[in-house]
Structure formats: structure tokens, C-alpha cells
Amino acid sequence: MKLVSLALDSVDSLHSGCTTHFSILLLKSLAGRVRLADLPLLVRLNPGVPWKTRGNGAVVLRLLYDGELGELLDVAYNLALEYSGGKRDVGVVIYKGEPWGVERLRWIYIRALTSIVTLDVATSTLDKLGGLHAGGRGVIGATASLAALGPGDDFTFELLAYRDPSLWGSERCVDRLKALHIESMLPPCTFYNVDVLTGEFISSPGGSDPVLAGFRGNCLTQLFEYSKVLCEKPHFWALFRTNQHTDAHLVELDELAPYNTGYVEAVVDGEPEVVEGSHVVVRASAKLGDVDLVFYRETGPLNRVARMLMPGDRVRALGSLRPYKPRGVSVIAVEKLWVLEVARRIVEVNPRCPRCSARLKSAGLGKGFKCEKCGYEASGLSKIRVEMGRRLTPGVYVTSRLKHLTAPPGRRRLEGLKPPLNLDVGDVLFSEAHPEPPRALRDLELSMGEPGLHSLSTI
Ligand SMILES: [Zn+2]
């Protein structure tokens, strides 16, 4: 069978639905006619883009398929329109071959992670390469995600549980104590399921989202343990491979343009300023020019670290450019900070009195010092330079609520999965309340070698 990538984006409506949910319904409907060359791929793109759908995530199904490509496009597009209530934004793209090896598609992927890709660029590229497309703005994300998660790319897993449509909008039943228990029992290969600072369960979205919960980690079969925290029976489960939490967007910024995402290396120029709302702004000079690094209150620990920065500190800041310049320079909303080098903090203090050892007072400019305690006057003494300790130490700092793409500090890179695989649709979709990982996934995990443990000390 031939390798065919079917990519989807913006298949949702304002009130409910999401592209991942739709992709699995589509996969179910194709089950008898395809096999899978990979797990369903969940591809997150530039978090700085303002007109993204929630989370800016596209899905790629890498199919082994022998049928007609135009027919596959029609089936997927018509179902997508039906699912989203006729939304014109939906995007469906089909490409035959190995898209990760096509330079132009790789370029669009990196560009869509870090900047903005126009619909024009996406469709003209597909036309040139023989790819098929249908729909509106979603074609951008779908095209961009085609070349993601190639054999050399880092990745993680997410096991997603979806709700029965009759329950959409109602409160989710999650056993939070059990979640804490399971979190504490699992090896350090899962992340972002429980807030490590507050103990809060963060795997469930709110509101009318069809997602019941999504469990994330480097390890694969162990994620299934989390199914025990749900007291609501999912409609079905699906296992995705994803670029989430891999720092895929950690690319050096080449332009300080609004909505671009990436990192700058910079030297702190000014004292941190706490502005209204408890946000912190730090002026820094980078290769591309002066920037204001902003650490929003919501970034929690990162906001607190920013308050400890001082002039001369050398940092790498990962984040997205904001569209405004309230203080005349570009603003980067920081989501991850590497403190590369802390400046020495030297303060000058008055010397002590040689007679009674009280701290001397200045007698006025150029007039030396005098002792207020014993009246001693000294003209030949000068200020003493003292090095103060810094509370801030070099290291990596993140928010407590990681953005989708941000890697937790200490996470180990995953490699060793070599598509095309040959999986049954039933190997990645489950309908039980508490599914067991199927044989094919256990074999897959074994073939990847060591489970992706990360170092506990740095989390
Ligand atoms: Zn004295």
C-alpha cells in the first residue's frame, strides 16, 4: 500500500468540536480501507498567532492506502464540513510520499512554528508538489503539519479521552485524589497532567470541548494508567504522537516581527519593572536590537524569576512577539527562560570607623567621612566595594502551566521511532473505560529502547 498523509486543521466550530476529535471520527470511518503508517500525529504550530483556533493544533493521519486520492479528499472534506456546520475555514490536505523529506514542506513547517505562512504559499506549494487541498484558512495549518514529526524529530505522546456527545458542556467527572496518587506512582516519564506546584489536575479542558482529558508523556504504555482517574466513561480514546513539549519552536528569531515565535539571546539592560497587573518587564539588548521581555503574572514562577534579574545578566528568552511597542521597542512575551550567566552584584559601602568601628557617614561630596558615634573625621578613606550574593542562579525556568510546545526542563529527547509503521486502526483507538495498551504499542515501545525518563531534579 502507498504512504499517504491526510492533514486536517480548523475542523471545529466556535462552540464545540476540535480537529483531533474529528480526525478520529474520520479514521473510524476509514477503518476498513486503510492501515496506519504512524500513530495519529498532533502537530502544534506557532502559539503567537492571534487568529489560531484553540491551541493551534493540526492533525496528520499517515495512512497506508491504495484507493484514489481525489476520492479520499472528497470524503474527508465533506465530513469535515458536516462536522463543523459548514465552516469555511476547514482545511484538508493530501500528500503522497514522504513529506518530511521534501525541503519545501520542511521549510513551511518550521515557518509555521515560528512565523506566519499565508494561504497563497501553502496552496501554491501543494500545487507544485502534486498535493491535494480543499477548504479555507485551515489549509495553511494542514500543509504546514505535513512534514512534521519525521524520523529524526523529537516527539511525545498524548492519550486523549473524548466525551459522549450527550455530555458535552456538562461537568467532567475526574477523581483528583486518584490522579495525585497515580502521578506519584509513575516513573518520571509523564508531564503536565498534574500541576506539580499546586497538585491541581490539569489534564482536562473546560466547557463544551469534546475532550474529556488528555494525558501527556514521554512514555507510551504507562500513560494508560491515567485512565483510572476518570469516573466518566469516555466515548472513545485515541493515542497521538505529537511535537508537544519538545521545544520544536526553539529557533533563533531572525526578525522582530509581530507574532513571530522563537528565542533571542540578550543581555539585561535595566532593572526589572513591575507594571500594573503584576506583570514584569525587563529591557534587554539582543543581536536584533533592544527588546522588552515581558513576563506575565500568569507565568507564575517565571514572573518571580524575572524580578531577580539585573543589568548584565545574560539570558536566552523563548517567546512570541507582541504586536505593540508601548515603550518604543519590540515586546517578547516570554514562556521559557535560560539564565546563562548572572552578573556580579557589587555595591559600594562606606568604610567603618577606625576608632569605634561604627559605619562612617559621608561628610559631603569630596569631604571624606565622619563618625556620628564618636566624632572621628577621616579624609583619606574611600568607599569599599563589596560583592553581594545573587539569589538567581543559572538554569532553565518555565511557567507552571506549560504552553503546548514548551519542553519541561530535564525532559529527555525521544528518538528511535522509524515510520512507516504498519498499525491497525484498532491499535490506536480504544472504546473501553480503562483500556490496556495493545500488543502493537508494547512492541513499539520496546523497539524504541529505554523509556524516556527525565531527570527528576530539574523538573
Ligand atoms: Zn567612631
Side-chain angles (χ1 to χ4, degrees):
M1 290 208 268
K2 291 189 282 284
L3 174 64
V4 174
S5 293
L6 169 58
L8 305 158
D9 192 23
S10 298
V11 190
D12 50 21
S13 62
L14 277 181
H15 304 292
S16 60
C18 79
T19 305
T20 72
H21 183 244
F22 171 73
S23 71
I24 299 307
L25 295 179
L26 176 64
L27 189 55
K28 279 181 164 188
S29 76
L30 296 172
R33 305 161 54 194
V34 299
R35 288 186 64 77
L36 286 170
D38 205 327
L39 305 175
L41 306 177
L42 168 53
V43 181
R44 300 287 180 180
L45 299 170
N46 184 0
V49 171
W51 48 84
K52 65 194 172 200
T53 52
R54 277 162 307 159
N56 206 6
V59 172
V60 184
L61 302 173
R62 298 231 202 270
L63 308 173
L64 297 169
Y65 173 76
D66 268 339
E68 223 262 303
L69 296 186
E71 188 205 329
L72 185 62
L73 181 75
D74 287 346
V75 168
Y77 182 57
N78 288 329
L79 282 174
L81 281 181
E82 192 184 315
Y83 179 87
S84 63
K87 200 165 149 254
R88 285 181 309 173
D89 281 357
V90 302
V92 182
V93 167
I94 288 178
Y95 181 83
K96 195 180 80 178
E98 297 187 349
W100 56 81
V102 180
E103 202 180 319
R104 181 71 181 168
L105 291 176
R106 272 304 277 194
W107 180 85
I108 290 186
Y109 170 52
I110 302 300
R111 187 90 185 148
L113 276 169
T114 56
S115 183
I116 288 167
V117 174
T118 61
L119 186 55
D120 236 27
V121 166
T123 53
S124 65
T125 301
L126 288 171
D127 294 342
K128 213 171 291 169
L129 295 172
L132 305 179
H133 54 90
R137 186 179 281 285
V139 168
I140 301 172
T143 307
S145 57
L146 279 177
L149 293 157
D153 290 332
D154 189 12
F155 59 92
T156 64
F157 297 101
E158 179 161 6
L159 179 63
L160 274 150
Y162 296 94
R163 313 188 74 188
D164 189 294
S166 66
L167 296 173
W168 290 11
S170 66
E171 197 166 329
R172 292 163 175 76
C173 184
V174 175
D175 187 334
R176 290 176 162 75
L177 275 179
K178 205 174 258 177
L180 271 178
H181 177 69
I182 287 173
E183 182 77 14
S184 66
M185 300 296 286
L186 287 176
C189 63
T190 67
F191 38 77
Y192 201 62
N193 300 305
V194 173
D195 185 326
V196 288
L197 293 181
T198 63
E200 203 180 326
F201 183 74
I202 51 173
S203 307
S204 284
S208 61
D209 200 293
V211 171
L212 174 54
F215 302 109
R216 301 178 178 192
N218 261 16
C219 44
L220 194 166
T221 52
Q222 271 146 335
L223 286 180
F224 285 75
E225 285 296 304
Y226 281 110
S227 71
K228 294 170 188 157
V229 313
L230 302 180
C231 31
E232 172 182 323
K233 185 181 183 296
H235 195 205
F236 55 83
W237 296 83
L239 181 69
F240 287 84
R241 198 161 78 84
T242 167
N243 65 352
Q244 285 171 169
H245 306 306
T246 64
D247 278 348
H249 58 332
L250 185 61
V251 174
E252 187 166 12
L253 282 167
D254 57 6
E255 190 191 356
L256 295 175
Y259 311 123
N260 279 9
T261 293
Y263 75 85
V264 290
E265 290 199 356
V267 176
V268 173
D269 271 343
E271 297 290 337
E273 287 178 52
V274 181
V275 300
E276 204 182 326
S278 295
H279 313 307
V280 175
V281 185
V282 178
R283 178 65 56 94
S285 67
K287 206 162 55 185
L288 295 170
D290 282 359
V291 289
D292 274 340
L293 304 176
V294 57
F295 303 80
Y296 291 120
R297 180 174 57 83
E298 296 75 17
T299 65
L302 200 51
N303 176 283
R304 290 192 288 279
V305 164
R307 292 164 194 244
M308 294 192 266
L309 288 169
M310 57 173 273
D313 288 347
R314 210 161 58 75
V315 299
R316 178 188 302 146
L318 171 64
S320 299
L321 269 294
R322 307 300 296 140
Y324 42 73
K325 298 181 176 182
R327 308 201 306 175
V329 302
S330 293
V331 175
I332 300 178
V334 181
E335 56 164 279
K336 188 171 188 176
L337 184 76
W338 288 255
V339 175
L340 304 173
E341 202 181 325
V342 291
R344 295 169 68 187
R345 185 166 153 229
I346 310 256
V347 293
E348 293 197 327
V349 295
N350 293 348
R352 288 189 180 276
C353 171
R355 199 191 285 165
C356 76
S357 78
R359 185 74 67 193
L360 293 173
K361 286 275 189 275
S362 171
L365 196 62
K367 289 185 184 158
F369 300 92
K370 71 176 182 197
C371 180
E372 287 191 331
K373 198 170 165 194
C374 71
Y376 179 84
E377 288 187 23
S379 55
L381 297 176
S382 56
K383 291 210 176 223
I384 301 168
R385 288 160 63 84
V386 178
E387 178 159 7
M388 310 287 281
R390 291 287 307 273
R391 280 197 300 148
L392 182 63
T393 51
V396 192
Y397 300 92
V398 290
T399 58
S400 56
R401 301 289 173 92
L402 294 180
K403 287 195 167 240
H404 290 306
L405 281 167
T406 315
R411 183 192 156 262
R412 216 192 68 183
R413 204 183 139 79
L414 280 188
E415 281 159 349
L417 187 139
K418 291 181 184 61
L421 311 170
N422 187 356
L423 298 169
D424 194 71
V425 172
D427 292 331
V428 298
L429 299 189
F430 321 101
S431 53
E432 305 90 335
H434 308 295
E436 287 287 321
R439 178 66 190 273
L441 293 186
R442 292 186 184 279
D443 289 348
L444 184 63
E445 189 164 52
L446 281 176
S447 76
M448 287 164 46
E450 286 285 297
L453 300 185
H454 37 250
S455 105
L456 269 180
S457 59
T458 47
I459 293 173

